[in-house]
Amino acid sequence: MQITQEWDKTFPKSDRVDHRKVTFKNRYGITLVGDLYQPKNASGKLAAIAVSGPFGAVKEQSSGLYAQTMAERGFVTLAFDPSYTGESGGEPRNVASPDINTEDFSAAVDFLGLQPNVDRERIGIIGICGFGGFALSAAAVDKRVKAVVASTMYDMTRVMSKGYNDRVTLQERTRMLEQLSRQRWSDAEHGTPAYQPPYNVLKGGEAQFLVDYHAYYMTPRGYHPRAVNSGHAWTITTPLSFMNFPILTYIQEISPRPMLLIHGEKAHSRYFSETAYAAAAHPKELVIVPGASHVDLYDRLDVIPFAKMATFFNQYLA
């Protein structure tokens, strides 16, 4: 496993936090690689936050920016690469799983709870985009998580099984599963999985949100060579388990621990947070950021409500 030690993030290094690379294992024995951020000169036991996402991104992008910014605000934070992606382990590369990616958050909580300067009764998690859904899933099942934030959230099991705005018909779903099922024989025959076409390569005529993704993942603003979304792709069969595995079934069981959902007013994905909010039990809060698109909440420091997040975690990880 090759772990880079130089600063190769898409954001500048803060002089207000200490940073180091760390590794830890999840319940399936996959070694995950993360960046641990800590406030400089902090003493005593601190509250901690694990951060991951977006789906197909790496810790050198949004999750690292969120983690470093929250460390500046007094928390020990861990941004990690999910299994099979980035610097984390797992073969084959660039495959996702609603179960394993939920587990990755709990493995991060394992790691944080073993740090000598972390109060293990004061651990929260932040999930961005598709990992917002996994963060909610992890918070529901893992009672050690005391507070959860999902920013610009996607429910990946919902969008893969039902399409955007739940428009996929049973006939379309059946056809898609037929193709994915048969792809397994092809992969088994070749001994390696086939991959989808490269992500975020524009051909013209795409919807605005796809143009927005390109503007983040494929330009110096957010490009990272290890990110699935920066011109790489998931395996063709990645959607299989997502099609049959609704991760937010038990969202009400996050309560009585609090959740904060943050979404852009103009985001194509806003309905994911709104329906999750409606399904969840109290305490819960939904913050709609005026004028913001989905991707604005990836890296725009003038748009992401970090002060709100800090207030939320300071209250509930007190």
Side-chain angles (χ1 to χ4, degrees), residues 297-313:
L297 294 181
Y298 283 7
D299 67 335
R300 285 192 52 190
L301 294 173
D302 57 330
V303 173
I304 303 166
F306 283 117
K308 174 66 184 175
M309 275 187 265
T311 300
F312 172 82
F313 283 121

Side-chain angles (χ1 to χ4, degrees), residues 15 20 25 31 33 35 45 69 90-91 111 114 124 127 162 171 228 233 238 240 246 254 282 303:
D15 57 8
R20 65 184 168 95
K25 282 194 171 166
T31 298
V33 179
D35 287 295
K45 286 191 178 280
T69 305
E91 294 289 338
F111 174 84
L114 298 180
K162 299 180 178 179
Q171 187 179 22
V228 176
T238 284
L240 270 171
I254 295 173
H282 290 285
V303 173

Side-chain angles (χ1 to χ4, degrees), residues 149-317:
V149 170
S151 179
T152 198
M153 192 268 284
Y154 261 61
D155 173 352
M156 295 308 303
T157 54
R158 180 178 176 186
V159 75
M160 285 202 206
S161 62
K162 299 180 178 179
Y164 284 107
N165 300 300
D166 306 334
R167 285 181 180 150
V168 168
T169 65
L170 176 59
Q171 187 179 22
E172 289 167 331
R173 174 184 165 85
T174 303
R175 191 164 61 240
M176 201 179 338
L177 286 171
E178 184 77 33
Q179 291 165 349
L180 291 171
S181 301
R182 291 185 172 277
Q183 181 64 42
R184 296 184 63 122
W185 268 327
S186 177
D187 290 352
E189 194 174 15
H190 290 99
T192 55
Y195 287 82
Q196 300 170 15
Y199 276 47
N200 298 311
V201 175
L202 296 182
K203 297 186 171 121
E206 286 87 358
Q208 182 59 45
F209 75 92
L210 295 173
V211 175
D212 291 347
Y213 283 142
H214 177 275
Y216 180 76
Y217 287 110
M218 299 298 283
T219 72
R221 171 184 169 194
Y223 176 83
H224 198 281
R226 287 193 294 272
V228 176
N229 292 341
S230 291
H232 303 291
W234 298 105
T235 63
I236 290 176
T237 57
T238 284
L240 270 171
S241 54
F242 287 83
M243 302 281 281
N244 212 25
F245 198 129
I247 51 174
L248 298 187
T249 302
Y250 297 101
I251 191 171
Q252 289 204 338
E253 293 183 18
I254 295 173
S255 175
R257 294 159 300 145
M259 79 168 64
L260 171 63
L261 304 174
I262 300 167
H263 228 103
E265 179 192 14
K266 308 285 192 195
H268 69 286
S269 52
R270 178 174 157 181
Y271 71 97
F272 288 118
S273 284
E274 290 175 335
T275 53
Y277 177 79
H282 290 285
K284 59 183 178 178
E285 188 173 357
L286 173 61
V287 172
I288 301 297
V289 181
S293 71
H294 179 87
V295 173
D296 285 341
L297 294 181
Y298 283 7
D299 67 335
R300 285 192 52 190
L301 294 173
D302 57 330
V303 173
I304 303 166
F306 283 117
K308 174 66 184 175
M309 275 187 265
T311 300
F312 172 82
F313 283 121
N314 279 323
Q315 177 182 350
Y316 292 109
L317 301 181

